[in-house]
Amino acid sequence: LTPEEWLREMCARWTGACENPVIRDSTLTESKTIMEMENRHCGDPNVTYIISYDVSYADGSRNAKCATVVLKCEHQTELHKRDKYLKSFVYCLDEDPKESMIQARQLKQRWYKFCLDNAQPTYIAIDARSYGQAVLEDLHKDLGDGLPPLCCVQHNRADIELNGALPVIYPINATGGYGTGFGYSDTRDNEDDMLRYAEVEWEQRNVRMLTSNINDGVLAYKRKHRIKDDINDPIIALPYLKSREMAGQIGNLRKKISGSGYKEERITRAVNRDMWSAAKYALRIAQRLEYKNLVGSIVRSTAWK
């Protein structure tokens, strides 16, 4: 690199300031308002959780990680935001890649922690490309965990569905180029559409993240759950730390023109984007659910008339 290029990349990496950022640094900072992380269902039956998972190869040949984020979707009462969820990233984690069956079991166990009887269903968003296909297929199997098998919401893999499977999986099929439209039944997930949606939702203050002050976050979590000892402090602090890392991953991205749309580009290749990818997939499913609710409300109002 020339001295000028090196200086620009270092400034972008450490300050988050670059041309055409995916999410503006000031917006990202203002969204870090959640004090209490959640590692299980909060108990509110009206809340919808999305467990999003970015799959990586078992051999880890490219130093990639398997990333999990949990998006909590809550209905808003403001008149102009009634058709938009308040979307909160309440949990973040990345791990070394493992065999597909192990990844499927771990993902299903995390999904079960955010399930609640007689409540809104909890969904799984998973990258269905490449190695993700193996994990997706394993989720359809009986994993011997005492839980019913799972299947896709739109029954994309009806050929391997088992009897009694719960339709909670949204496979993400990310594509390049520019999207031709968006619909609940559309199985394409265009990168330009996902980037635009994420940027707009962050700018409109519909997205929140865990606080970057790890100590305050740990204290708030312990206060809520009435924990008085310090034995599990490192475990409690981990999601806050990973949320801070995810913010760093977002700050390392910029938008690049691709055809008639945009795609994301890493400023520094040494910084991964696994947790950001999982967050992007979760927001895509929230977008689909918002669209489904909007269409349903229009149909109900038309039928009433």
Side-chain angles (χ1 to χ4, degrees):
L1 300 178
T2 64
E4 292 78 11
E5 291 173 336
W6 180 88
L7 182 59
R8 281 200 302 270
E9 289 207 4
M10 293 305 101
C11 287
R13 178 172 180 178
W14 295 110
T15 68
C18 68
E19 295 181 357
N20 298 320
V22 170
I23 307 295
R24 291 191 302 124
D25 188 57
S26 58
T27 303
L28 199 62
T29 301
E30 292 174 5
S31 70
K32 300 176 182 179
T33 58
I34 304 175
M35 297 302 296
E36 300 161 1
M37 71 90 175
E38 297 179 19
N39 52 14
R40 57 181 55 85
H41 201 290
C42 66
D44 184 352
N46 298 314
V47 168
T48 301
Y49 284 97
I50 301 170
I51 317 301
S52 185
Y53 190 65
D54 183 56
V55 186
S56 183
Y57 289 94
D59 58 9
S61 58
R62 296 186 179 180
N63 198 32
K65 298 282 189 178
C66 298
T68 303
V69 300
V70 178
L71 183 65
K72 180 180 181 180
C73 299
E74 303 170 272
H75 291 284
Q76 302 190 77
T77 57
E78 292 88 344
L79 183 61
H80 63 288
K81 291 187 176 184
R82 286 188 301 177
D83 60 339
K84 292 286 187 179
Y85 287 122
L86 175 61
K87 294 168 274 286
S88 306
F89 289 105
V90 296
Y91 188 84
C92 297
L93 184 67
D94 63 358
E95 305 166 288
D96 292 329
K98 304 177 182 66
E99 295 180 358
S100 63
M101 182 62 74
I102 298 176
Q103 293 189 40
R105 287 192 178 116
Q106 290 180 339
L107 177 58
K108 192 173 179 181
Q109 287 297 324
R110 290 199 181 101
W111 165 82
Y112 181 64
K113 289 182 179 179
F114 287 91
C115 292
L116 184 69
D117 293 337
N118 301 319
Q120 294 293 326
T122 298
Y123 297 103
I124 294 177
I126 182 171
D127 182 9
R129 299 173 302 169
S130 189
Y131 198 68
Q133 276 288 349
V135 181
L136 177 63
E137 292 176 2
D138 287 336
L139 286 172
H140 282 71
K141 300 177 182 177
D142 185 354
L143 300 178
D145 51 10
L147 300 174
L150 309 179
C151 66
C152 298
V153 172
Q154 299 172 343
H155 305 284
N156 306 61
R157 298 301 307 271
D159 55 318
I160 59 174
E161 281 187 22
L162 299 178
N163 292 331
L166 301 178
V168 297
I169 304 175
Y170 277 97
I172 299 294
N173 297 291
T175 61
Y178 181 71
T180 57
F182 176 79
Y184 175 64
S185 60
D186 191 2
T187 58
R188 296 167 298 173
D189 301 289
N190 180 263
E191 183 177 9
D192 178 74
D193 293 338
M194 289 192 285
L195 289 177
R196 289 176 184 271
Y197 180 78
E199 181 180 16
V200 169
E201 292 302 292
W202 242 290
E203 289 291 341
Q204 293 183 352
R205 305 302 188 266
N206 291 329
V207 179
R208 303 188 303 167
M209 297 178 63
L210 292 173
T211 179
S212 59
N213 191 321
I214 297 177
N215 290 331
D216 287 351
V218 171
L219 290 175
Y221 179 88
K222 292 171 64 176
R223 191 180 301 115
K224 178 179 180 180
H225 295 276
R226 299 179 180 179
I227 300 174
K228 297 183 179 180
D229 58 71
D230 302 332
I231 298 175
N232 293 320
D233 280 13
I235 299 176
I236 298 172
L238 186 59
Y240 295 96
L241 177 62
K242 292 302 178 180
S243 180
R244 181 190 290 181
E245 289 183 15
M246 185 174 78
Q249 292 181 6
I250 298 173
N252 186 54
L253 296 171
R254 59 188 169 198
K255 294 181 296 184
K256 182 179 180 181
I257 296 178
S258 177
S260 56
Y262 287 99
K263 68 177 183 179
E264 66 186 46
E265 179 184 63
R266 282 187 288 178
I267 299 170
T268 303
R269 302 290 297 180
V271 178
N272 288 334
R273 54 180 170 183
D274 309 284
M275 287 183 286
W276 157 247
S277 295
K280 187 171 57 176
Y281 301 155
L283 289 173
R284 180 61 166 181
I285 303 310
Q287 183 185 16
R288 288 183 176 275
L289 294 176
E290 287 173 345
Y291 182 84
K292 178 184 176 182
N293 293 336
L294 179 61
V295 171
S297 64
I298 294 175
V299 171
R300 287 191 296 271
S301 61
T302 304
W304 181 79
K305 292 180 180 178

